[in-house]
DNA sequence: GAAACATTTCGTATATTTGCGAAACATCAA
DNA sequence: TTGATGTTTCGCAAATATACGAAATGTTTC
């Protein structure tokens, strides 16, 4: 009985969502889409994001793969918008993770330690 | 005037924090530390996490570098705990990001599209 | 059908992340 | 001082992420 765990579904999901949020381009896209409650064309985004078209497309693909956005074909454009259902799920998941915290604060002294220097 | 932005401080911070949360080992550690409101020894963690000692140490290092935990030397052990101040900041940052969302939901039709297949 | 357009996929190069074991480091106990 | 213990750093290998331009895809318009 080694005691080694497998990670729970929850832990793995949090890591997966966080990974999708771990690049400025993707954060920017999500922020824009979620704030404006509307959709965006890839062409609009490439105007304002300092990255090439094909790179942007890959980031959109990752967000889509993560389930956080969805694309609607509207020829000759493709409109992207937040996937509300999954966005709400992600929100709840991270919210719970961040807020289930005992807010008492004791016994942790600022280290000044050399560890991990 | 190309219109290309630099990313705001906020966007970059969100990406940076998210990156720290983007691995199950690190999520597990943070979850444990934040829930139990106490400290943990690296040796305790290595018992339950399916990863070697040196690898665990690197993950702790990353979390420390990201400012989310801190280590207190307590010979011959090293006690790790949440860095409450930065944890609160991270919480607020992600919370705002996740919740400044217009919750109306219109014009986004489930795609069925082949894009990014 | 051909040209024009928005976007994605492919191929490739580079950088970063993840993982491990061995060795190093620091502290305590004898 | 020597050995035991807990932890980190080093050196390396393998996997993954990021970025770009060129070529391919799909659609509309002429």
């Amino acid at each position: 009985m080694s005691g080694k765990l497998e990670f729970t579904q929850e832990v793995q999901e949090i890591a997966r969502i966080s990974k999708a949020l771990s690049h400025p381009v993707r954060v920017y896209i999500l922020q824009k889409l979620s704030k404006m409650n509307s959709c965006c064309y890839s062409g609009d985004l490439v105007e304002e994001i300092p990255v090439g078209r094909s790179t942007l497309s890959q980031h959109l693909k990752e967000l889509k793969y993560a389930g956080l956005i969805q694309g609607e074909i509207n020829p000759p454009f493709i409109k992207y918008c937040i996937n509300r259902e999954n966005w709400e799920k992600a929100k709840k998941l991270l919210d719970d993770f961040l807020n289930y915290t005992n807010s008492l604060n004791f016994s942790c002294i600022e280290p000044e330690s050399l560890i991990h220097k």
Side-chain angles (χ1 to χ4, degrees), chain A:
Chain A
M1 168 153 114
S2 79
K4 296 266 188 185
L5 302 166
E6 271 314 294
F7 294 114
T8 61
Q9 196 74 32
E10 194 198 1
V11 164
Q12 296 191 62
E13 272 289 286
I14 292 167
R16 196 180 67 80
I17 300 294
S18 297
K19 196 183 210 159
L21 305 181
S22 71
H23 193 287
V25 166
R26 296 193 292 269
V27 171
Y28 179 84
I29 293 168
L30 286 171
Q31 193 180 55
K32 173 150 186 156
L33 290 180
S34 71
K35 270 185 177 164
M36 72 192 233
N37 186 35
S38 168
C39 299
C40 243
Y41 302 110
S42 176
D44 295 341
L45 290 168
V46 87
E47 297 294 318
E48 29 184 303
I49 294 181
V51 88
R53 283 168 196 282
S54 59
T55 304
L56 174 62
S57 189
Q58 273 191 221
H59 285 298
L60 288 167
K61 183 177 176 177
E62 264 186 82
L63 287 174
K64 195 182 176 202
Y65 184 73
L68 298 175
I69 65 172
Q70 58 192 218
E72 181 192 349
I73 293 179
N74 194 5
F77 301 97
I78 295 174
K79 256 166 60 172
Y80 282 101
C81 27
I82 291 284
N83 182 322
R84 296 284 164 192
E85 190 183 331
N86 290 333
W87 181 247
E88 291 302 320
K89 279 187 202 162
K91 212 187 281 195
K92 178 153 175 35
L93 201 63
L94 288 181
D95 236 60
D96 287 353
F97 171 62
L98 293 167
N99 293 299
Y100 267 111
T101 296
N102 198 330
S103 59
L104 288 173
N105 197 355
F106 73 102
S107 94
C108 291
I109 299 161
E110 184 56 39
E112 304 298 345
S113 69
L114 301 177
I115 50 173
H116 290 313
K117 217 210 9 289

